[in-house]
Amino acid sequence: MSHPVRENDLLARLRVVLVEPSHPGNIGAVARAMKNMGLSRLALVNPHRFPHPEAMARASGADDILASAELYTTLPEALAGATRIYGTSARHQRTIPWPIVTPRGAASAIFASTSVAETALLFGRESVGLSNEELEQCHTLINIPANPDYSSLNLAQAVQIISYELRLAALELAASPTVSARVIDEAATAAEVNGYLDHLQRLLIQVGFLDPHNPRLLLRRLSRLYQRAALERTEVHILRGILTEVQKRLGFPHG
Ligand code: SAH
């Protein structure tokens, strides 16, 4: 295929991971910040309250990002398939021997070449940020060089600033003549296909097609079927969107 590469396709390689966000309003505001800048993939690790009407209200039209948000109970699950992991920190962690870059520095590194890596961006709790153990999963830290006397931004505003820099860098790469459509025509990762299968399983239980006490054989068969189909990432997104819409229409918890 030789269609032009759009910045949003490049940005689809990125996921925003919120670790234990406590305010549903912030989750909604993050979704809005992401969608404004063309980011689409949101992962939530143990949000205190989600889904929540306040998240919907603050998302203000970016509720599709909330609907397709991936929910995880552990950080490694949220990071599955990501080959580059950036942490964010309000403080200059002098005790941590990791490189610290600005949002602009990170954005230009992420979009430096046409083979954009699967990248996760980790954001911490409103109260205490990311733990040392979580920071250890990251190869680089992003620090917004704010007023040193008052350096901690609201979570969604930190996501906004970093997403804006990512968009600028993606726009630049998408405009370059060397970028090829191969960048986006990529197979879904195992984690993406598994995320879809988990989502499908939830729906099948909700509609009574699958007995949660005896799920094994059906799920294995479905898994084989989708392996055979060799899904692309965009196809997985479409399939998940369909499941979410069915769940919403039937009034079930969705995602
Ligand atoms: N009191 C916490 C601040 C948490 S703010 C602390 O000192 O770590 C919530 C999250 O917003 C942070 O974990 C980080 O992901 C992001 N954030 C806030 N300010 C930031 C900054 N100046 N640079 C980078 N990320 C920031």
Side-chain angles (χ1 to χ4, degrees):
M1 288 209 287
S2 62
H3 52 84
V5 173
R6 293 171 56 244
E7 62 282 2
N8 288 3
D9 300 322
L10 297 170
L11 290 162
R13 289 289 170 92
L14 274 42
R15 74 188 78 162
V16 168
V17 180
L18 304 185
V19 178
E20 301 192 340
S22 39
H23 300 300
N26 276 340
I27 301 174
V30 164
R32 181 178 187 172
M34 287 173 62
K35 189 167 180 180
N36 279 145
M37 295 302 126
L39 277 84
S40 47
R41 195 165 168 204
L42 175 62
L44 305 172
V45 180
N46 291 328
H48 287 199
R49 283 170 290 157
F50 187 82
H52 194 278
E54 214 177 308
M56 290 293 279
R58 292 287 300 280
S60 169
D63 40 338
D64 54 329
I65 306 258
L66 294 182
S68 61
E70 301 156 36
L71 282 170
Y72 298 102
T73 51
T74 68
L75 184 56
E77 289 172 280
L79 298 179
T83 51
R84 305 200 56 165
I85 301 167
Y86 286 85
T88 56
S89 173
R91 284 161 292 152
H92 258 271
Q93 315 263 350
R94 289 208 182 73
T95 53
I96 293 182
W98 282 273
I100 299 181
V101 298
T102 61
R104 194 160 299 173
S108 68
I110 289 169
F111 295 111
S113 79
T114 53
S115 57
V116 180
E118 272 287 326
T119 302
L121 302 151
L122 263 61
F123 291 85
R125 301 155 187 82
E126 292 92 332
S127 49
V128 292
L130 294 166
S131 70
N132 282 343
E133 198 188 317
E134 287 155 355
L135 289 168
E136 276 164 23
Q137 317 259 330
C138 307
H139 69 84
T140 304
L141 298 184
I142 305 173
N143 174 255
I144 300 166
N147 176 1
D149 298 330
Y150 191 64
S151 63
S152 173
L153 280 77
N154 165 268
L155 172 60
Q157 292 178 351
V159 171
Q160 184 73 81
I161 287 173
I162 292 171
S163 301
Y164 172 65
E165 291 291 342
L166 291 165
R167 180 166 190 80
L168 287 186
L171 279 166
E172 204 173 306
L173 178 59
S176 85
T178 53
V179 70
S180 111
R182 261 185 314 114
V183 177
I184 55 169
D185 290 336
E186 245 213 7
T189 64
E192 287 166 336
V193 177
N194 287 338
Y196 166 70
L197 286 167
D198 290 345
H199 194 168
L200 180 62
Q201 178 181 2
R202 288 193 289 279
L203 176 66
L204 294 179
I205 291 171
Q206 286 166 333
V207 299
F209 187 81
L210 178 64
D211 177 2
H213 303 297
N214 190 20
R216 301 311 324 161
L217 189 56
L218 177 67
L219 289 174
R220 232 178 288 140
R221 297 195 72 144
L222 286 172
S223 169
R224 275 216 306 271
L225 166 67
Y226 285 106
Q227 303 290 338
R228 245 188 359 254
L231 296 170
E232 290 177 10
R233 164 170 304 121
T234 46
E235 294 166 334
V236 172
H237 282 168
I238 293 167
L239 289 170
R240 291 203 65 158
I242 293 170
L243 297 186
T244 297
E245 209 48 47
V246 171
Q247 287 175 314
K248 281 206 259 184
R249 289 290 164 134
L250 295 175
F252 293 127
H254 48 83

